[in-house]
Amino acid sequence: MIQVRPSEQMRDLGVVQEGAPILADPARPFDLPAEREAAEQVVEKLFTAMDRIGQVHPFAKGMGIAAPQIGIGRTAAIVQPADPGAPAIVLLNPTITDRSDETDEQYEGCLSFFDVRGMVPRPLRITVQTTTLDGQLAATAYERGLARLVHHEIDHLDGLLYTARMRSGIDPIPVEQYRQTGQAWGYEQ
C-alpha cells in the first residue's frame, strides 16, 4: 500500500502548499459593504473547503482556513472552534488590535505544510477587529486555544506562516514524532 503524506492529502483536497507565492503575500482587504457579494462567495468557498478537509481529517483542537490557502488573495478566514457545537467564526478584514503580554508556546500545524508541527509562542488573549458584511466594525476578544487559532489565520492573511513566529533555533518536527507526544494544547486555568 502506498502511503500518502499528509501534505499531499491536503494538496489533493485543494489546499495551497508551502512555497506558493500567494502564501507569502499579504491578502487584499474587502471594501465592505460594496464588495459584500465577493466576500460572501469567498466565505462560501472557505466553508466548502473546510467541510471537504473535515471529512478526511479530524481536528480535535479546532481548525481554521484562510482564503490564500485556497488560492484566493483576499482577507477572509474561518475558524471552527474545538467545541463541535460552537459556530464557526468568520473573519473578514481582521486586525489584531490588542494582545496580552502573557504568552505560551504550543505545537501548531498548518494545512499548507501538514507533514510537520512546530512550537509557536502566541499571546494568551487577543482582541480582533473585523468588518461585517454591511461594513460595520466589530471587535471580539479570544483566549487561549481560540486566540491561537484566530491568530494563526490572521497571520496567513498577512503572508506569514507559523514558522516565522517560532523561536530561533527551534525547528518543526515531523508529524509522526508529534503524534507520539500525545499532547493536546495545555493551558493552566
Side-chain angles (χ1 to χ4, degrees):
M1 186 169 111
I2 297 173
Q3 188 75 354
V4 176
R5 298 290 306 152
S7 60
E8 292 169 350
Q9 187 179 46
M10 290 300 135
R11 182 198 64 228
D12 293 346
L13 291 169
V15 178
V16 173
Q17 293 300 294
E18 182 181 28
I22 196 167
L23 294 179
D25 292 336
R28 187 166 51 95
F30 289 99
D31 177 11
L32 294 167
E35 292 186 294
R36 180 183 183 124
E37 189 174 320
E40 288 173 335
Q41 289 173 358
V42 172
V43 168
E44 185 177 322
K45 289 177 182 177
L46 286 167
F47 273 114
T48 299
M50 185 179 275
D51 287 345
R52 192 170 52 245
I53 294 161
Q55 290 175 16
V56 174
H57 187 88
F59 291 89
K61 295 188 286 187
M63 77 168 286
I65 190 164
Q69 291 181 281
I70 59 169
I72 302 170
R74 301 303 301 268
T75 54
I78 296 176
V79 171
Q80 180 59 58
D83 176 359
I89 298 164
V90 176
L91 302 165
L92 295 172
N93 300 342
T95 304
I96 296 173
T97 58
D98 190 33
R99 64 189 78 222
S100 65
D101 291 334
E102 189 181 3
T103 64
D104 77 337
E105 196 169 22
Q106 304 281 341
Y107 277 109
E108 290 185 21
C110 181
L111 300 174
S112 292
F113 53 110
F114 214 51
D115 295 337
V116 296
R117 300 295 183 268
M119 277 292 244
V120 182
R122 295 216 188 253
L124 285 176
R125 184 191 46 74
I126 60 174
T127 301
V128 177
Q129 180 177 287
T130 58
T131 310
T132 64
L133 288 168
D134 59 7
Q136 301 298 306
L137 295 179
T140 307
Y142 301 100
E143 294 186 351
R144 304 190 181 278
L146 201 48
R148 178 171 294 279
L149 285 167
V150 169
H151 198 202
H152 179 110
E153 297 313 318
I154 292 172
D155 277 353
H156 273 299
L157 301 177
D158 292 336
L160 295 174
L161 298 177
Y162 74 70
T163 49
R165 298 241 181 239
M166 292 176 67
R167 286 186 291 123
S168 179
I170 305 291
D171 293 319
I173 62 171
V175 69
E176 296 82 5
Q177 184 179 341
Y178 168 75
R179 285 186 185 132
Q180 292 170 4
T181 69
Q183 294 182 4
W185 287 337
Y187 293 99
E188 299 293 323
Q189 294 295 337

